[in-house]
């Protein structure tokens, strides 16, 4: 449009741009003189933002944004939605991806029983591959770098005697890719995780009855070949009773030290309280500017053990047996209900009480949370258990098998429990460890579980819940878009990942998904040819995302802005040839 031509009213011009694709909006803005005149009009960009992205008008602008124009451009230009590379070195389903903290390397696990280490350069390349079949592994399923990226934890399924399946954790040195140690891990979907640079957490499971068991979580030194008999290489961390066929799975560790200075506050009232002192940073970059301390919120109540009305556990158990034998227990109990009732009575006075004051009281706290999936009604994981790890517990030094506790304290209680009311199929922490994101498939409303071996049917739609680990409360509404189709007994873990501004997840519908954490909107669908099992953001560049699929490929996705930057770095022969011809003509 020529500057001297007829001028459309701004409202009409704006309505035209509302129905253009946003790529057209930005490109037209470069050549249209009239659009330049209104391109920085905040009212127009605010209207365009809310209407195009379908964001509720109750949602304020991102606390670090300087204008609605910049916000619109951020959500268009910095989402890693452009496929730039497909890695096909695996020859079976790819199950998990994990980046090193530096972002220079990442690892992939697969049903082909290898863990592969990749170099994250301009073009990603394979650096090393370790085959775990010589150690009787069936496949690799999870990996995690330690805090200084010197060691890699690899978790897999181990085939033992008589074809029994359990789990095993291997520790690999990143200096020369040698195998340093191996640790048994049962059940295998405990996965395992690092507690600090040299100590990792594994699990074991002991059956007590048909549907009653005990989960023991162990702290292991990564270097098992210590020659001194006076140095422990393993120590029992927690011992927790499981009822109704449930078990502890999917352990992870959250560091509480940054809860008062998160990268992004998700509660809008907290954002408002912090906005007066909140520094502004470029949302399109990955600078680690921190926000001011939010206001203190009341502490949530921790889980309490059932009260027996002051009756000692031994007397309560004896009274129950007397009532049972004399027919005073009505209605008649099934074998499953009887086992659960006896286990509950037995454990009541044999459990160490929860830690008081679950939440850290100062921002410099060295306290960490052990987070895991569990349950109380059925075998499918439907609760999140949280247990505080105190500083003196973060080393294998000291008593080996929990001798510090009283002889009658057999079990540890959970400090907090979050009930999901559905089958949990994925968990991930925000980079500051303030927020926990949980993939779940909901149970029907008001469902009743009468048999722990028959859990309720689960929804195809996946809910992505968000919990604030400072308040232990759910924040925002659940994110939705992705779907899964397998029933309870075949349900598998779908790994998600969280960056400073985005959250991503795989799905069984052959797509990966990206949402904006602040606006709670789905921004991109990433195509694969089969189930997407895992996603991973680069920890230093959130405009780089990896997705892993059952189609045996790892896809590399970058933002439109990152793609332009990469293309600008490459030589352009045609442009050079054109310049040479112009010089010849002159």
């Amino acid at each position: 449009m020529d500057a001297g031509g007829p001028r459309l009213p701004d409202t009409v011009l704006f309505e035209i741009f509302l129905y253009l694709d946003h790529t057209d909006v930005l490109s037209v803005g470069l050549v249209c003189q009239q659009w330049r005149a209104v391109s920085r009009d905040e009212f127009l960009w605010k209207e365009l933002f809310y209407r195009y992205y379908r964001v509720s008008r109750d949602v304020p602008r991102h606390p670090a944004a300087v204008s609605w124009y910049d916000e619109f451009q951020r959500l268009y230009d910095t989402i890693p939605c452009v496929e730039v590379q497909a890695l096909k070195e695996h020859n079976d389903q790819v199950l998990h991806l994990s980046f090193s903290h530096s972002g220079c390397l990442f690892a992939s696990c697969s049903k082909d029983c290898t863990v592969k280490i990749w170099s994250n350069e301009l073009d990603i390349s394979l650096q090393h591959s370790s085959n775990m079949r010589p150690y009787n592994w069936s496949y690799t399923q999870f990996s995690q770098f330690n805090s200084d990226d010197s060691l890699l934890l690899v978790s897999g399924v181990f085939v033992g005697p008589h074809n029994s399946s359990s789990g095993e954790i291997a520790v690999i040195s990143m200096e020369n890719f040698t195998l340093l140690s191996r640790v048994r891990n049962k059940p295998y979907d405990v996965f395992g995780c690092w507690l600090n640079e040299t100590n990792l957490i594994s699990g074991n499971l002991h059956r007590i009855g048909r549907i009653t068991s005990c989960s023991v979580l162990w702290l292991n030194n990564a270097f098992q070949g210590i020659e001194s008999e006076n140095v422990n290489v393993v120590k029992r961390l927690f011992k927790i009773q499981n009822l109704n066929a449930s078990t502890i799975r999917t352990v992870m560790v959250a560091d509480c030290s940054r809860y008062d200075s998160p990268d992004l506050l998700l509660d809008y009232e907290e954002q408002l309280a912090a906005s007066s002192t909140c520094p502004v940073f470029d949302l399109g970059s990955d600078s680690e500017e921190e926000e001011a301390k939010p206001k203190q919120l009341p502490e949530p109540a921790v889980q309490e053990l059932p009260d027996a009305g002051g009756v000692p556990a031994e007397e309560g158990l004896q009274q129950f047996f007397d009532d049972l034998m004399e027919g005073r227990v009505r209605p008649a109990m099934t074998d499953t209900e009887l086992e659960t009732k006896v286990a509950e009575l037995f454990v009541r006075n044999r459990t160490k009480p929860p830690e008081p004051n679950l939440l850290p009281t100062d921002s410099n706290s060295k306290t960490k949370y052990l987070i895991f999936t569990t349950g109380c009604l059925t075998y499918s994981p439907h609760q999140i258990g949280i247990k505080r790890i105190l500083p003196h517990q973060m080393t294998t030094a000291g008593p080996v098998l929990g001798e510090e506790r009283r002889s009658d304290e057999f079990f540890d209680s959970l400090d907090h429990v979050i009930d999901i009311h559905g089958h949990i199929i994925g968990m991930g922490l925000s980079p500051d460890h303030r927020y926990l994101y949980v993939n779940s498939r909901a149970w029907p409303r008001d469902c009743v579980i009468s048999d722990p071996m028959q859990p309720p049917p689960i929804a195809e739609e996946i809910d992505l819940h968000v919990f604030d680990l400072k308040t232990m409360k759910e924040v925002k509404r659940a994110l939705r878009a992705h779907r899964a189709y397998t029933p309870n007994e075949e349900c598998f873990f779908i790994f998600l990942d969280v960056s400073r501004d985005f959250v991503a997840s795989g799905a069984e519908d052959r797509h990966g998904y990206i949402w904006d954490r602040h606006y709670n909107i789905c921004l991109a669908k990433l195509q694969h040819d089969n189930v997407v099992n895992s996603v991973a953001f680069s920890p230093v560049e959130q405009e780089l995302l990896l997705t892993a699929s059952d189609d045996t490929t790892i896809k590399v996705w970058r933002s439109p802005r990152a793609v332009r930057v990469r293309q600008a770095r490459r030589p352009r022969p045609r442009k050079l040839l054109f310049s040479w011809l112009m010089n010849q003509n002159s």
Side-chain angles (χ1 to χ4, degrees), residues 431-505:
D432 52 27
H433 288 201
R434 170 73 180 263
Y435 298 98
L436 177 68
Y437 287 75
V438 181
N439 267 334
S440 76
R441 296 173 62 184
W443 291 339
R445 191 185 301 272
D446 302 323
C447 66
V448 176
I449 300 175
S450 56
D451 183 355
M453 304 309 293
Q454 297 291 329
I458 50 180
E460 286 188 355
E461 191 167 47
I462 302 174
D463 294 327
L464 183 49
H465 302 274
V466 191
F467 296 94
D468 187 340
L469 293 179
K470 182 176 180 181
T471 64
M472 297 296 168
K473 296 179 180 178
E474 186 168 8
V475 293
K476 296 184 176 289
R477 58 177 174 79
L479 300 170
R480 287 181 176 174
H482 48 332
R483 305 181 76 85
Y485 309 109
T486 50
N488 264 307
E489 62 273 13
E490 300 174 16
C491 208
F492 54 87
F493 216 69
I494 293 177
F495 294 93
L496 58 93
D497 197 23
V498 189
S499 71
R500 191 191 61 205
D501 296 311
F502 309 127
V503 55
S505 174

Side-chain angles (χ1 to χ4, degrees), residues 10-154:
D10 288 349
T11 53
V12 175
L13 182 66
F14 178 60
E15 288 296 326
I16 294 173
F17 282 107
L18 279 179
Y19 294 99
L20 290 175
D21 183 84
H22 54 243
T23 58
D24 295 328
V25 171
L26 295 174
S27 60
V28 171
L30 297 175
V31 298
C32 176
Q33 294 290 338
Q34 187 173 341
W35 177 249
R36 286 199 187 100
V38 297
S39 63
R40 295 290 179 165
D41 188 305
E42 275 293 278
F43 172 76
L44 294 180
W45 279 108
K46 180 179 180 180
E47 288 297 312
L48 178 60
F49 186 93
Y50 280 123
R51 293 177 65 172
Y52 185 86
Y53 288 109
R54 299 179 181 177
V55 177
S56 170
R57 294 182 181 272
D58 297 332
V59 179
R61 194 174 68 194
H62 193 292
V66 295
S67 71
W68 285 107
Y69 171 83
D70 290 338
E71 273 299 86
F72 192 98
Q73 191 171 35
R74 175 178 76 90
L75 294 189
Y76 153 69
D77 216 18
T78 66
I79 309 301
C81 58
V82 180
E83 181 184 340
V84 296
Q85 198 173 354
L87 309 174
K88 300 181 180 181
E89 278 77 356
H90 283 289
N91 54 36
D92 207 335
Q93 301 169 3
V94 188
L95 302 180
H96 185 257
L97 299 164
S98 65
F99 267 100
S100 63
H101 295 82
S102 68
C104 297
L105 301 172
F106 69 88
S108 59
C109 295
S110 169
K111 281 287 185 74
D112 65 13
C113 207
T114 66
V115 55
K116 297 186 187 299
I117 314 299
W118 307 79
S119 177
N120 179 27
E121 298 174 347
L122 194 60
D123 285 319
I124 292 171
S125 59
L126 181 63
Q127 187 169 344
H128 178 78
S129 179
S130 292
N131 182 12
M132 302 304 291
R133 289 200 191 279
Y135 306 102
N136 289 331
W137 282 30
S138 177
Y139 57 89
T140 60
Q141 60 176 351
F142 175 83
S143 65
Q144 185 182 46
F145 289 84
N146 70 340
S147 57
D148 65 1
D149 295 337
S150 62
L151 303 173
L152 179 67
L153 176 155
V154 183

Side-chain angles (χ1 to χ4, degrees), residues 230-296:
N230 299 319
V231 178
N232 296 332
V233 295
V234 63
K235 183 173 76 172
R236 192 176 79 191
L237 199 55
F238 301 117
K239 183 177 181 180
I240 297 169
Q241 185 196 45
N242 304 312
L243 300 176
N244 289 320
S246 64
T247 61
I248 286 178
R249 313 164 189 255
T250 319
V251 297
M252 60 177 58
V253 173
D255 187 346
C256 307
S257 61
R258 287 196 58 199
Y259 283 7
D260 286 334
S261 56
D263 295 325
L264 176 66
L265 284 168
L266 296 185
D267 184 276
Y268 299 139
E269 292 183 3
E270 281 192 271
Q271 286 182 9
L272 185 62
S275 60
S276 59
T277 56
C278 176
V280 174
F281 57 90
D282 178 12
L283 284 168
S285 69
D286 285 285
S287 72
E288 293 296 328
E289 298 280 354
E290 295 182 351
E291 298 178 348
K293 290 185 178 181
K295 61 182 181 181
Q296 296 292 326

Side-chain angles (χ1 to χ4, degrees), residues 337-354:
E337 292 169 335
L338 178 61
E339 181 180 327
T340 300
K341 183 66 176 178
V342 171
E344 288 176 339
L345 288 170
F346 176 79
V347 80
R348 183 167 289 157
N349 273 4
R350 291 172 171 81
T351 300
K352 191 176 180 180

Side-chain angles (χ1 to χ4, degrees), residues 350-383:
R350 291 172 171 81
T351 300
K352 191 176 180 180
E355 295 288 344
N357 302 321
L358 173 64
L359 301 180
T361 56
D362 62 273
S363 58
N364 295 320
S365 172
K366 295 182 179 180
T367 300
K368 295 183 179 181
Y369 291 157
L370 182 64
I371 301 172
F372 45 84
T373 63
T374 182
C376 64
L377 302 175
T378 180
Y379 70 82
S380 65
H382 55 276
Q383 292 180 323

